[in-house]
Amino acid sequence: MKRVTQTESCDECGGRLRTTENEVVCEECGLVVGEDSIDRGPEWRHLENGDNRRRTGAPLERSRHDRGLSTRIGFGTGTEVTGERQRQLVRMRRQHNRARFSSKAERNKAYGFTEIRRLVSSLSLPTPVREQSCTLFESAQHEDLLCGRSLEGFSAATVYATCRVQSIARTMDEVVTQARANKSELKAAYDALNRELGLPIGPISPVEYLPRYTSELELQADIESRAREYATWLRESGRIGGKNPSGVAAACLYRAAYDHGVDVTQTEVADLANVSRMTIRSTATELKKYR
């Protein structure tokens, strides 16, 4: 910005200059002599209760072990360095990486959070699932539930448990497919979470699976609506006790597609829900009683 003193005048008309918040303007002809668009004051956030606070830096992330506050010595593409300075940076980077974690527990938490973020992204789950899964993993670590168990299994179990708590239709087999743990490791970790932390988990309704299965089978909305009627009738009449809700949803879609004359085989819906054809056939036979 051009500095203007009291003795200076407009270069065009010789008029008097007036300084505003970020501009120097001639009062006679309106010429902008100088401007400064940089806000040099603090960034304030005004709340309704009158509390003013400074807000600086990036937002905190619950899904990172350090809340996103730590820094790293990267491998940037800026000015190239050679010789002794380059070797010094390599040593600094190595020591910095070693000092990132203050304990083994902190390192385990960072690894678990990384695995949770990868799983949530692979399963196309929303951000709240990621945040709550990380919180659940930290609670499990605080209760010493990780001792003797797989970190990958606990990471997958927290994602699956969060989906169950939030009534998001994801089966254990779907989580295992994307996880770096087998089903037995996931089930052992999930049982420990449910037993020790008392998670508010209830059965998932087959209705929760219908939108995703309808999309994957490329069926119409009226077929989904009909399948929703079937699933609601089965639940209200108490006919789905002990049955896999994913298989029930697939069977309802199969029956609804049959009613609309759409060619969908039992093998297709069974493979989609990861159940046997017998499961689809038995539930579809039960739906013949629907009036």
Side-chain angles (χ1 to χ4, degrees):
M1 175 182 176
K2 177 184 176 182
R3 290 188 174 274
V4 180
T5 62
Q6 297 294 334
T7 58
E8 291 189 47
S9 58
C10 178
D11 297 335
E12 295 291 333
C13 65
R16 188 174 63 178
L17 299 179
R18 176 168 54 88
T19 302
T20 61
E21 293 182 357
N22 58 357
E23 291 181 341
V24 179
V25 185
C26 176
E27 293 183 348
E28 302 295 333
C29 65
L31 177 68
V32 179
V33 178
E35 63 176 342
D36 183 9
S37 58
I38 300 177
D39 186 3
R40 304 184 184 279
E43 184 182 8
W44 298 99
R45 178 178 62 177
H46 181 70
L47 303 178
E48 293 183 357
N49 58 4
D51 184 19
N52 292 329
R53 301 178 182 177
R54 278 195 177 98
R55 183 182 62 206
T56 57
L60 299 180
E61 293 189 34
R62 189 65 190 83
S63 60
R64 295 188 180 276
H65 74 285
D66 53 6
R67 307 298 294 274
L69 295 176
S70 64
T71 58
R72 297 181 61 186
I73 301 177
F75 299 85
T77 59
T79 304
E80 298 294 336
V81 294
T82 58
E84 180 60 30
R85 180 58 177 169
Q86 185 177 20
R87 290 189 292 271
Q88 181 184 9
L89 288 175
V90 171
R91 292 193 299 270
M92 291 173 60
R93 188 180 297 114
R94 185 188 308 117
Q95 295 299 327
H96 181 75
N97 290 335
R98 291 174 178 174
R100 286 179 59 200
F101 308 108
S102 58
S103 62
K104 183 66 177 295
E106 192 75 12
R107 186 181 299 273
N108 291 341
K109 183 165 68 173
Y111 180 80
F113 283 10
T114 302
E115 178 66 9
I116 288 173
R117 290 199 304 273
R118 188 191 65 82
L119 267 177
V120 169
S121 177
S122 300
L123 294 170
S124 300
L125 296 173
T127 302
V129 173
R130 183 188 67 190
E131 303 297 323
Q132 187 171 346
S133 299
C134 292
T135 302
L136 186 58
F137 185 92
E138 193 171 16
S139 299
Q141 188 180 41
H142 181 71
E143 296 295 331
D144 293 331
L145 302 182
L146 274 63
C147 296
R149 296 188 175 96
S150 168
L151 290 176
E152 294 84 355
F154 252 97
S155 300
T158 55
V159 174
Y160 176 68
T162 302
C163 291
R164 291 291 304 271
V165 170
Q166 297 187 5
S167 298
I168 297 177
R170 289 295 186 275
T171 64
M172 186 176 292
D173 291 329
E174 289 177 318
V175 178
V176 169
T177 302
Q178 302 296 332
R180 292 172 178 165
N182 55 43
K183 190 171 184 179
S184 60
E185 291 175 336
L186 191 155
K187 194 173 186 307
Y190 174 72
D191 291 341
L193 288 173
N194 202 14
R195 180 178 62 253
E196 301 296 334
L197 301 182
L199 302 179
I201 294 176
I204 297 180
S205 173
V207 176
E208 302 294 335
Y209 293 90
L210 291 178
R212 184 158 55 94
Y213 287 177
T214 302
S215 177
E216 294 185 14
L217 292 173
E218 297 182 355
L219 300 177
Q220 301 297 324
D222 53 349
I223 297 179
E224 180 186 348
S225 178
R226 181 66 171 175
R228 191 178 296 271
E229 293 180 12
Y230 282 143
T232 302
W233 175 74
L234 288 173
R235 186 180 70 250
E236 292 178 351
S237 60
R239 298 172 184 266
I240 60 174
K243 294 184 178 181
N244 187 337
S246 176
V248 172
C252 291
L253 274 178
Y254 167 75
R255 183 65 188 181
Y258 176 82
D259 293 343
H260 286 78
V262 179
D263 186 16
V264 176
T265 65
Q266 293 181 3
T267 302
E268 289 177 335
V269 295
D271 292 342
L272 178 62
N274 197 22
V275 295
S276 65
R277 291 176 55 189
M278 183 60 66
T279 301
I280 302 297
R281 188 180 301 114
S282 62
T283 305
T285 303
E286 191 77 16
L287 289 173
K288 293 181 180 179
K289 303 176 182 178
Y290 177 73
R291 294 291 183 271

